[in-house]
Amino acid sequence: MSMRKTLTALAISSFVLIGAGQATAGQSAQITEADVVQAQQTWGEAIVAIGEAYTSQEDYEALAEEVVDTLYGYDQGTVLFKPTKASELQFRSTKEEVLSYFVTGAVSEDGGFAIQPWSNVRFENHGIILDEDSAIAMGNYYFTEVDSGEEVKVEYTFGYFQDEDGDLRIRLHHSSLPYSPQH
């Protein structure tokens, strides 16, 4: 898929997400469970698209930046981000640190989670808590490896807020591998 087609697809997905539940532009509507599920699907498709752009030798870094700008709320305030595969810099406070995690860059331990690549991401929600202009979802998400087809199970908590345009943005992103007891 060309970079232009990938960005167009992401923009269309974002437009669908943005328009969900709104009467008119600029008006906020209460967030619904369907809005959260759509946001999760959009996020998963974006992670897959970054990996596809990487393997196709397209501008995956520009796509990753567009994904972070579109789906996360860094330009509206604080975002709490705890990546799955991080130990040296356990929490990421800036957009640049998040981009490094997804595609490598500013943080030496980063291997480029989104450029692994993955062929699919699916969410299994344990629960979703809805508020008027925010939501929290927690559960497992599964990343399908391109080469082996195996799924990697990851635990997550995502917090969303509705910005002034009614768009859902990620404010909290916490991912971790399941606990594996050593007996």
Side-chain angles (χ1 to χ4, degrees):
M1 178 180 273
S2 75
M3 181 64 160
R4 180 178 294 280
K5 287 180 185 176
T6 302
L7 287 173
T8 301
L10 179 59
I12 289 169
S13 294
S14 297
F15 180 77
V16 170
L17 172 65
I18 290 165
Q22 290 188 14
T24 61
Q27 284 186 327
S28 294
Q30 185 163 346
I31 298 171
T32 67
E33 190 168 316
D35 295 335
V36 172
V37 169
Q38 179 62 53
Q40 291 171 333
Q41 181 177 344
T42 300
W43 186 90
E45 290 169 356
I47 295 300
V48 170
I50 293 167
E52 288 173 350
Y54 175 76
T55 57
S56 299
Q57 298 181 335
E58 296 175 6
D59 192 352
Y60 64 93
E61 291 173 331
L63 178 57
E65 187 167 359
E66 178 69 23
V67 166
V68 172
D69 287 345
T70 302
L71 302 182
Y72 290 83
Y74 283 98
D75 56 345
Q76 284 92 25
T78 301
V79 174
L80 303 175
F81 189 98
K82 193 291 182 198
T84 309
K85 297 179 176 182
S87 61
E88 293 172 26
L89 187 57
Q90 185 177 4
F91 303 104
R92 305 301 171 90
S93 301
T94 67
K95 177 180 140 180
E96 291 72 26
E97 292 169 347
V98 171
L99 286 169
S100 177
Y101 178 71
F102 285 140
V103 298
T104 73
V107 181
S108 63
E109 73 177 319
D110 291 339
F113 183 82
I115 61 175
Q116 173 148 352
W118 308 101
S119 64
N120 188 50
V121 179
R122 70 178 176 88
F123 283 76
E124 285 185 2
N125 292 310
H126 172 72
I128 298 174
I129 298 171
L130 301 172
D131 200 356
E132 230 177 270
D133 63 354
S134 64
I136 300 170
M138 182 176 73
N140 297 308
Y141 49 2
Y142 299 83
F143 297 83
T144 305
E145 295 181 353
V146 167
D147 293 335
S148 69
E150 291 185 37
E151 282 189 326
V152 176
K153 176 182 173 181
V154 179
E155 300 164 342
Y156 78 88
T157 303
F158 275 31
Y160 301 91
F161 72 96
Q162 195 173 50
D163 70 13
E164 62 277 353
D165 296 325
D167 301 350
L168 280 190
R169 301 290 187 115
I170 299 168
R171 150 180 300 155
L172 166 68
H173 174 146
H174 180 276
S175 295
S176 55
L177 293 171
Y179 172 67
S180 180
Q182 304 287 328
H183 294 291

